[in-house]
Amino acid sequence: MLKGKVYKHGANVDTDAIIPARYLNVSDPDELAKHCMEDTDADFVKKVKPGDIIMATTNFGCGSSREHAPLAIKAAGISCIIAKSFARIFFRNAINIGLPLLESNEAVANTKDGDTLEVDLSKGLIKNLTKGAEFKAKPYPGFMAEIIADGGLIEHTKKRISRRRA
Amino acid sequence: MTLAEKILAAHANKKRVSPGDFINVRVDLVMSNDVTAPIAIREFQKLGVKRVFDPQKVVMVPDHFVPNKDIASAEQAKLMREFARKQGIIYFEVGEMGIEHVLLPEQGLVLPGEVVIGADSHTCTYGALGAFATGMGSTDIAAAMATGDIWMKVPPTIKLVYNGKLEKWVGGKDLILHTIGDIGVDGALYSAIEFSGEVIESLSIDGRFTMANMAIEAGGKAGLFGVDNKTQLYVKSRAERPYLVYEPDGDAEYSRVIEYDVSAIEPQVALPHSPANSKPISKLKNIKINQVVIGSCTNGRLEDLRLAAHILKGNKVHPGVRCIVIPGSQQVYFDALIEGLIEIFVRVGAAVSTPTCGPCLGGHMGVLADGEKCVSTTNRNFVGRMGSPKSEVYLANPAVAAASAVMGKIASPEELLQRVKVNG
Ligand code: SF4
């Protein structure tokens, strides 16, 4: 069960907003986390508490393929991201590294910045504790459910490789 | 099936695929760069595999922060270089490299009908040659380096048809900026784009690269062009392997078909902070600028430099402007040198750099300060993309960028020519 305060954004939050390209000369998640969302909200890293949740409307994570983006968000302490939709590469990257993403139009429409949410990943349930409302996220498609069940792409691929060898 | 579906079906050993199908796809090339390779290598090492699946199908290109701009980026490049040498994969060192999306097609490493994945979102550039090419993250690339395949969801295809006659100074960059302005930064989300129509047939390969490059700016997974004589001519002398040409079926199903009459399209400028903010240049009034960048994987090819040099020749870069020209690859640099373009750039007062992504992502070689404005032939103008979050980037074609460098403000080539006439 995940629980935290919501940081709400609008549409098309791009990967340069999540982690500016000028910091991509390192790949250590904790270093990257220091600059997470810096150009949008300079104090974000100071304010965010472990478990907090980022919420956005459509096309979250558009732009670059940099995995540094979900890595920075995860290392900053964010427990999951809820949006109406995600950019394709960001979606893969986040799932691959074990940062949960949930898509739910209703949850986004009925949640305000600062609300507290509780998320049950196994059931795909999003509870808005501030408002006392409950929403269901879209189920994960095809292979993605398998990757999540295996604990990320690396573990999933390890399994595939050992099956091939056998 | 559409062009994308044909290529994917062939690489998944299936007779047919439809949008929404989950398939495992064999990959012909797996690419990463000095920003994304270090994470891919770290993840690859967790897999417990010793060797990449095929060293001739794995390529790493140092291009973003090279020649290295600081110690941290030098460490990343070193990690990548050592891995590349140890694995015996394809690698291009500074001095022979280029911006990945200029370099790989030029070296004959991406070919029609292939599936290419790269840890860089502009991998979609190779669609210009009729390949299915798409960007992914480092962990996906790590897995593919080990297994030689990757899972994909078959995207629906949007067909864009361009008819009419191109106005002067209007090229691939303007067509794609106009299109993104029309359909939005998520207009092609999760979709493949198929570019077609009489205008596309008459467009050069360099112009096609520019358009395919920015498919991702509309959210696209890939942007594909059919293979014609021009493609064959480009590819034949370079191809490193045999390749197959696919064509879309006559009865292919498209999720959307959009037709454009290009005759009415002017040179476009995308205003800050979105590539979808594109406006006809005549609508912009007196926007003073501090810098011009001509280069990148979007517009750093020979045709682009020729166009810029043509406009700049005999003029001087405006005293209030830094004009930075970056050939997209060592080959482009060399060709531009032999043709005398580099001499023109230096004479007019432009700074010419060795190939690098550099300022395109605010790395080095032209980072912007607070309040500065830059006209750039690159593909993204997000907040902070080229430096300070308080700077502004205006995206344009190389002719507009060159004219603006001389005029000190955003200007069309026509405006510059008029001025030269009056003064001359
Ligand atoms: S030139 Fe710019 S957009 Fe192209 S690969 Fe380099 S950083 Fe990315």
Side-chain angles (χ1 to χ4, degrees), chain B residues 189-234:
Chain B
L189 199 61
Y190 290 91
S191 301
I193 297 173
E194 213 174 278
F195 296 97
S196 63
E198 60 190 23
V199 179
I200 297 304
E201 286 161 30
S202 64
L203 205 64
S204 67
I205 295 293
D206 282 3
R208 295 179 196 181
F209 279 129
T210 302
M211 291 187 76
N213 175 268
M214 292 190 71
I216 179 73
E217 260 56 70
K221 179 168 184 164
L224 296 92
F225 288 72
V227 175
D228 60 11
N229 281 339
K230 280 187 195 161
T231 326
Q232 297 280 15
L233 211 65
Y234 179 91

Side-chain angles (χ1 to χ4, degrees), chain B residues 273-291:
Chain B
H273 294 285
S274 167
N277 259 344
S278 56
K279 300 270 177 301
I281 189 148
S282 62
K283 293 254 149 62
L284 308 181
K285 293 278 175 289
N286 211 16
I287 301 175
K288 291 218 168 56
I289 55 165
N290 309 92
Q291 182 168 298

Side-chain angles (χ1 to χ4, degrees), chain B residues 34 46 93 109:
Chain B
D34 53 325
K46 290 183 192 159
E93 191 52 276
L109 288 169

Side-chain angles (χ1 to χ4, degrees), chain B residues 21-91:
Chain B
D21 289 358
F22 283 85
I23 51 172
N24 250 316
V25 184
R26 193 164 36 76
V27 293
D28 297 298
L29 195 73
V30 184
M31 188 270 293
S32 54
N33 60 47
D34 53 325
V35 164
T36 56
I39 298 181
I41 293 166
R42 188 166 76 203
E43 297 305 309
F44 178 84
Q45 281 160 347
K46 290 183 192 159
L47 287 169
V49 196
K50 288 220 168 57
R51 297 254 147 234
V52 299
F53 79 104
D54 179 347
Q56 287 314 302
K57 291 185 176 172
V58 179
V59 54
M60 290 185 178
V61 185
D63 58 359
H64 280 60
F65 296 143
V66 300
N68 291 129
K69 67 161 186 147
D70 55 17
I71 297 170
S73 63
E75 294 294 344
Q76 301 286 294
K78 183 175 163 204
L79 199 150
M80 169 165 128
R81 180 182 304 116
E82 284 171 358
F83 179 86
R85 298 234 163 104
K86 198 164 137 224
Q87 293 283 337
I89 63 172
I90 308 170
Y91 173 76

